[in-house]
Amino acid sequence: MSKVSKPLPLFRLPTLLLTKIIRYMDLQEILLISLASKKSGFIMRSLLPRNWFNLKLLFYIKETEIVLGAKGPWAPVRVKYENGGDLFKLQITQRLENVFYQWAGPQLQDPVKLLLTHFATVFNPTISIYFGDICNQEFVMDVLPLLKQLNLSVKVLKFWDAQISPETYKYVLDEYREVSELWLFCKISSDFEYRAGPDFRVDNFRVGEGHWMHLEDFVNCKEVAVYNHHQHKQPKYANLEEPRALIRKWIESECQLELFTVSSFPDKFDFRLVLQGQGLRTIEQTFSSHSVEIIRRSDGKKALVTCKWGFFELKVID
């Protein structure tokens, strides 16, 4: 009779050796070991490199997935979503769809919150989260405060047809004013009002219903795109002083704005009227388009302002 090998007491090995062993594991193996117990989770956290991990969460009816990625040689781990009727499930599987580990709950936010809490404890990933048409107000406001509570760094936050209230819309603008990307493509009431301060510094800010925006408030973003998807009849930028104030603010301040576009489609707002009487040097003028060059006073940087039927653009060119 052959002797049975004793299991390797992995966590009794020296820390330096453990760290080297982990580098040869798959990321899924690391995740599964961390899920064995609270103790194993904290041990794995102490062994893993800091600031190496990212977590992408997509919540759409046709596509819901959660992906843990990392720098270096580790392949990403995908967490499968399953709506089982009575339970919403997030699970880690192998190729034959056998379940290794599963989070479950009567509402989708229940397993999502459990997963986020564990991933924050072990991996401390940066977050990219997409709230789509599967998301309601309750789900969004269960998840977003938890991200703050867990002190997770949100890099990308996008809403596309998610059902949120004006209060939540304002919460997002207040709390996520310095993320890399913020997209708000969800309905908002025609009477919604908001003023952004100089600390609103999103790198890439896109708004599907920008009727509420005072354009000059967002000069400290790098790129801004504003649309009128649901055809609000009186967007703020329909007042000629709004785009004019944006132009003046860029000329007179040291803002980081590089590109600002506004589209009023399908409404035919005539942005060409913005440039009338402003004393700016005309670069090009046609029946449908007017372009002028503006120069910033502080550093001589140049930008091109193009105004058309239904379209306005301020773009830094030098």
Side-chain angles (χ1 to χ4, degrees), residues 130-145 157-174 176 182-189 192 207-209 212:
Y130 304 73
F131 291 105
D133 49 8
I134 199 174
C135 302
N136 57 26
Q137 167 70 22
E138 182 181 2
F139 176 82
V140 172
M141 287 311 293
D142 270 354
V143 172
L144 286 183
L157 181 58
K158 296 184 180 182
F159 292 81
W160 201 286
D161 290 335
Q163 303 167 31
I164 62 174
S165 68
E167 291 76 20
T168 298
Y169 199 99
K170 182 179 182 300
Y171 172 86
V172 171
L173 291 167
D174 284 341
Y176 295 94
L182 177 58
W183 292 23
L184 292 170
F185 285 81
C186 44
K187 289 184 178 180
I188 186 65
S189 58
F192 179 76
V207 183
E209 295 192 22
W212 54 270

Side-chain angles (χ1 to χ4, degrees), residues 10-245:
L10 184 65
F11 291 147
R12 293 183 183 177
L13 296 175
T15 300
L16 182 60
L17 182 56
L18 266 177
T19 303
K20 291 183 177 181
I21 290 174
I22 284 175
R23 298 299 176 90
Y24 289 97
M25 289 182 176
D26 293 334
L27 187 54
Q28 180 166 286
E29 292 174 330
I30 294 171
L31 174 57
L32 290 171
I33 290 173
S34 75
L35 288 163
S37 67
K38 286 186 177 181
K39 179 180 178 180
S40 62
F42 283 113
I43 292 174
M44 295 305 283
R45 172 177 179 156
S46 69
L47 298 171
L48 291 170
R50 297 290 87 194
N51 303 319
W52 268 47
F53 300 96
N54 58 80
L55 186 64
K56 182 172 72 172
L57 306 98
L58 292 87
F59 299 108
Y60 296 95
I61 291 176
K62 293 184 177 180
E63 181 186 15
T64 294
E65 69 169 358
I66 297 174
V67 181
L68 176 67
K71 298 178 184 178
W74 284 318
V77 176
R78 283 176 167 78
V79 179
K80 183 180 177 182
Y81 163 73
E82 182 180 308
N83 185 349
D86 294 337
L87 289 177
F88 293 90
K89 302 174 183 177
L90 300 175
Q91 52 198 31
I92 305 168
T93 64
Q94 62 180 0
R95 291 182 180 178
L96 297 178
E97 298 300 308
N98 294 325
V99 177
F100 282 134
Y101 192 90
Q102 180 177 269
W103 298 269
Q107 300 182 73
L108 178 55
Q109 56 263 42
D110 297 325
V112 169
K113 289 163 67 177
L114 292 172
L115 178 147
L116 283 171
T117 301
H118 182 78
F119 279 36
T121 300
V122 178
F123 301 99
N124 192 32
T126 59
I127 302 294
S128 299
I129 185 165
Y130 304 73
F131 291 105
D133 49 8
I134 199 174
C135 302
N136 57 26
Q137 167 70 22
E138 182 181 2
F139 176 82
V140 172
M141 287 311 293
D142 270 354
V143 172
L144 286 183
L146 179 63
L147 294 176
K148 289 286 184 181
Q149 180 183 333
L150 296 172
N151 200 30
L152 288 168
S153 174
V154 177
K155 295 296 184 183
V156 177
L157 181 58
K158 296 184 180 182
F159 292 81
W160 201 286
D161 290 335
Q163 303 167 31
I164 62 174
S165 68
E167 291 76 20
T168 298
Y169 199 99
K170 182 179 182 300
Y171 172 86
V172 171
L173 291 167
D174 284 341
E175 297 295 329
Y176 295 94
R177 56 186 180 274
E178 293 187 358
V179 297
S180 295
E181 290 189 59
L182 177 58
W183 292 23
L184 292 170
F185 285 81
C186 44
K187 289 184 178 180
I188 186 65
S189 58
S190 57
D191 60 351
F192 179 76
E193 295 186 4
Y194 186 83
R195 295 305 303 256
D199 58 344
F200 195 97
R201 305 179 67 87
V202 175
D203 287 343
N204 186 337
F205 184 45
R206 296 174 182 263
V207 183
E209 295 192 22
H211 60 280
W212 54 270
M213 295 175 65
H214 295 269
L215 304 186
E216 65 177 304
D217 288 355
F218 301 94
V219 294
N220 284 318
C221 300
K222 286 186 178 179
E223 295 187 11
V224 181
V226 181
Y227 304 91
N228 188 28
H229 279 182
H230 291 91
Q231 303 179 47
H232 290 275
K233 294 181 179 179
Q234 292 184 325
K236 290 283 192 299
Y237 56 72
N239 179 346
L240 295 177
E241 281 305 309
E242 282 294 320
R244 287 173 180 168

